[in-house]
Amino acid sequence: MQTQSLKRPELLLPVGTKDMALAAIHNGADAIFMGVPGFNARGRSHDFQIEEVKDIIDTCHLHGVKVNLAFNILIFQNEFLGAVEVLKKILPLKPDAFIVQDLGLVRLIRHMAPEQRIHASTQMSVTNAEAITWLDDLGIQRFVLARENSIKEIHAIKQNTTKEIEVFVHGALCVSYSGQCFTSESIGGRSANRGQCAQSCRFSYEMHVDGEKRDLGGKSFLVSPQDLCGINEVPSLLDSGVDCFKIEGRLKTPEYVATAARSFDEAITSAQRNQALANPILLKKQMATAFSRGFYSGWFHGVNHQELVEGTFSAHRGFEFGKVVRVNGNALEVEITEDKAQQGLKTDFIQAGDGILWVFKDRNDQDAEKGGFVFAVKSLSPRRFALEFSRDIAMNDSYVGARVFYNHDKDLKKDVSLSVEDKQRKKRLPVSIRAEASLGKPLTVTYTDGKYTVSATSENVCEPAKNKGLNSLDLREELFALMGSPFRGEGFECELDPETPLFLPNKQVKELRQKLVKELTDLRIQNGTTPVIAPQEQIMEWIGSKKTTERKAQGLKFNLLLRDKFQVDDVVQAVTTGQLDAAALNLVILDFEFGLDFEPSLKALRAANVKVGVATTRILKPNEHRNVKHLLNMNPDAILARNLGAVQYLQSNNYQGQILGDFSLNVTNHLTAQYLLDKGLESVCLGYDLNNLQVSELIQSGQSERFEVTAYQYMPSFHMEHCVFAAFLSKGTSFKDCGRPCEKHDVKLKDQFGNWHQIKPDQECRNTMYNGTSQSAARYVKEWASHGLGYIRYEALKERGAELIGKIQAHLDFINDKKDLNVLIKELGNVESYGLSESHFQREKEYQSRKK
């Protein structure tokens, strides 16, 4: 693979504090990303003040590092004024880009500052080139792909777009597709789409298979992936044309930022030179010491359900390197594992004062942890060494066989501080310098940094020298005296009058240097012209002009979503026997695990005079168009589109039915809704981050008759590439060799708080985890209907027979004023195994972290 000619991708580091920004700047970052005050997807991070944002932006621009501001949360109706106010303060600071999830916010930024760069956040769940094409009219310059895309898929996407592509290469892996996680919302009223992730994927879970608890041999962190480390994949990613390597971790430390920046900077440089990376195992050791839940290549090589989730822990342990083979007094004899030895790890990487953690089995055969600082190190062989500890640490033979982790480097913090403070190690920008002088004219000096050029002349003219005159060596030394600045001299040209030795006071040469360094510094900080932004009143007027005030009274319509062919049989039978009125069902949507079941179910419903829609998968990858093509060929009355790539495919292939936008498009404001509806969607299901008041506000601001609200469901929490069935009920790495336990078993997870979660796969073997407690919005439906809401949806999960038909009829009776609200809620509660909740609809206060 030839990579020498490939351009260097931007190396993008996370920043949660000024110290993290400095660590990034001086350790190899090309760019940083940080949160917009009050609006970013890391609610627990430090919320910067505008003055702090300016300081960091100026410091970064001075050192040639770009700043991307993460404005990557969903925006509610009542937040536009706040968003405009913060944008008016931040746009003049000239950030290099905004990272945005919300399509309405993209429109707002584009309106306020047409030339401002915008990057689509990974929260947009972009996994295919079609979605990028469909969004082309928004002028987004870069797309941050989902972490679940493989290198092969990344390459395919890049081949089919001219847009820049950004890819996560290091850091925490979310088990759920970003932008598609509602676990925090369904369990604790905390929205991951609003920066309030409760890290539910790091919880411990029990696995219940067909009603019985399954013993998983000490594994309980069933949906907690190991951290991503793609340093070995850097050459392949360069070859795929990736424009930006992104590192996750705004909640981490300067040491984390520095080690990641150095390691990936070195890896990129080696790959560009077509050279093997020297000692990657030592780079991994240093990065893992800063933070690691175990390193893995994520989904870069496709799925491997046996390796992604380790299962026995979910917190930082550091760098795993060996096992305890003997306890000898106050020492542990440790042998480096075979895989680490093959990667070149030797016993000389540990020093006295470093920290070690070992994990052993306690009396109850449960994992227990012990750790301490190494007192002395003795090498016993190339792979074995003795680590001696203080006598305060009690040793016993139960430690034999323990897994050993390196989790504290005594010199790391000091080393990172020196990288920021030591003038010899700090990042300094190369400048070319030219000096010209002749008799009777002032000395002219020019500094060029590749972007800006500044020139100045001395106050006095050059006179004939009585003794030693100006010479290039002395001028170079004085003009290169830049140690106290962010610059370093690299090229020097000097043109002096060859006929006459010239004299000019050295003080004036020094003053010229100081003047030019200041001018160059100021230019870099200014970073071009300040954008002209319209008055706030005009911007708010534009936002208001996009609202819809006219209401088309059509009455509330009822949509029904079914998840298997047996539920369809139940509904068809109920219609046939007169238990259900077909005319009362506006649309029955099929959302099946098995695509082969679609067509017979569609025919059966049509025979019963029921209008039928079919749902796409939530995610569409480059090799999965057969699924959408299958739906297209069936020609259902409607297709429920769960991703924008599917919308693009259907429209470009002239699908003649209705395309409906699902909740997964995350519609939470009228600017987003209008954009989607104006581009051909018949209706949109409102996002699951909205409470009842926010739903009401949005209905009153948009085309309400084309809005749908899911009024009854089991909240879909995680949507995962990770398959729980394959990982824990088989030895298979993918659908090819897992034996498909999902077809044989019913699986539920019980979290550490006692909440139950149903697991169901889709056609691509992706798992969705559904909250076991059903959710009803019945209390608010009539009010929404009075504002013109067009549709409500009932989503079935596992219900069958009389229970299913009873729930459907109860909702129909309620919306047709044949059943009282309290009666409906009582009837639903009586048949629910794990209770009935109003979940996010009743959450009327935004969650606030106690850490803030």
Side-chain angles (χ1 to χ4, degrees), residues 34-47:
M34 58 188 286
V36 168
F39 295 90
N40 79 89
R42 286 294 180 272
R44 291 184 293 127
S45 64
H46 170 66
D47 208 357

Side-chain angles (χ1 to χ4, degrees), residues 391-585:
R391 294 187 180 276
D392 294 338
I393 299 176
M395 295 291 177
N396 64 70
D397 289 339
S398 68
Y399 298 159
V400 174
R403 300 164 63 185
V404 188
F405 298 78
Y406 178 92
N407 70 349
H408 177 77
D409 183 334
K410 68 182 181 66
D411 296 324
L412 180 57
K413 194 176 189 71
K414 180 181 178 181
D415 182 64
V416 172
S417 294
L418 286 173
S419 73
V420 171
E421 297 165 3
D422 188 334
K423 292 180 180 179
Q424 298 291 343
R425 293 181 56 182
K426 290 172 67 171
K427 178 177 182 178
R428 294 166 66 216
L429 302 162
V431 291
S432 298
I433 303 172
R434 178 177 174 81
E436 301 175 60
S438 58
L439 188 63
K441 294 184 178 179
L443 169 67
T444 300
V445 177
T446 302
Y447 279 64
T448 303
D449 68 356
K451 183 176 183 180
Y452 300 104
T453 298
V454 291
S455 295
T457 57
S458 59
E459 183 179 344
N460 295 354
V461 298
C462 295
E463 300 174 354
K466 295 179 180 179
N467 297 307
K468 180 183 177 183
L470 291 174
N471 63 81
S472 61
L473 289 177
D474 290 343
L475 280 173
R476 184 183 187 279
E477 182 178 357
E478 181 59 56
L479 296 175
F480 269 38
L482 301 169
M483 189 60 77
S485 78
F487 308 109
R488 59 179 172 83
E490 190 167 80
F492 183 68
E493 295 180 16
C494 186
E495 189 173 323
L496 300 177
D497 190 331
E499 302 296 331
T500 307
L502 304 174
F503 170 76
L504 189 72
N506 187 64
K507 178 184 178 183
Q508 292 197 21
V509 180
K510 181 179 180 180
E511 288 173 347
L512 278 179
R513 169 174 55 80
Q514 293 172 338
K515 178 179 183 340
L516 292 174
V517 166
K518 184 179 185 308
E519 288 183 8
L520 196 56
T521 297
D522 290 344
L523 281 173
R524 295 188 67 85
I525 290 174
Q526 288 170 15
N527 195 40
T529 58
T530 302
V532 177
I533 304 169
Q536 184 168 303
E537 297 76 16
Q538 291 184 20
I539 299 167
M540 295 307 297
E541 183 179 346
W542 175 82
I543 293 171
S545 71
K546 305 302 178 184
K547 292 183 178 180
T548 301
T549 54
E550 294 183 3
R551 299 281 172 256
K552 298 179 181 178
Q554 62 171 21
L556 197 60
K557 297 181 180 178
F558 183 83
N559 293 333
L560 172 65
L561 185 142
L562 303 175
R563 287 205 159 88
D564 62 46
K565 64 181 180 180
F566 304 109
Q567 291 175 336
V568 170
D569 293 342
D570 292 336
V571 169
V572 169
Q573 183 180 7
V575 170
T576 303
T577 60
Q579 284 182 275
L580 287 178
D581 179 5
L585 304 176

Side-chain angles (χ1 to χ4, degrees), residues 245-293:
F245 287 2
K246 185 172 193 173
I247 292 170
E248 180 276 341
R250 281 187 278 153
L251 297 176
K252 303 295 196 309
T253 63
E255 292 75 39
Y256 173 90
V257 170
T259 55
R262 290 176 193 169
S263 300
F264 278 89
D265 182 38
E266 183 177 336
I268 291 168
T269 301
S270 296
Q272 286 185 299
R273 294 172 179 170
N274 204 27
Q275 297 173 347
L277 180 60
N279 296 319
I281 190 65
L282 295 181
L283 297 180
K284 287 183 179 181
K285 183 223 48 161
Q286 194 171 54
M287 289 189 289
T289 304
F291 191 91
S292 171
R293 298 181 182 92

Side-chain angles (χ1 to χ4, degrees), residues 306-326:
Q306 299 305 315
E307 295 185 358
L308 177 72
V309 172
E310 195 272 351
T312 64
F313 69 103
S314 66
H316 169 56
R317 278 184 176 173
F319 174 71
E320 184 172 5
F321 66 89
K323 287 188 178 296
V324 175
V325 294
R326 185 184 176 203

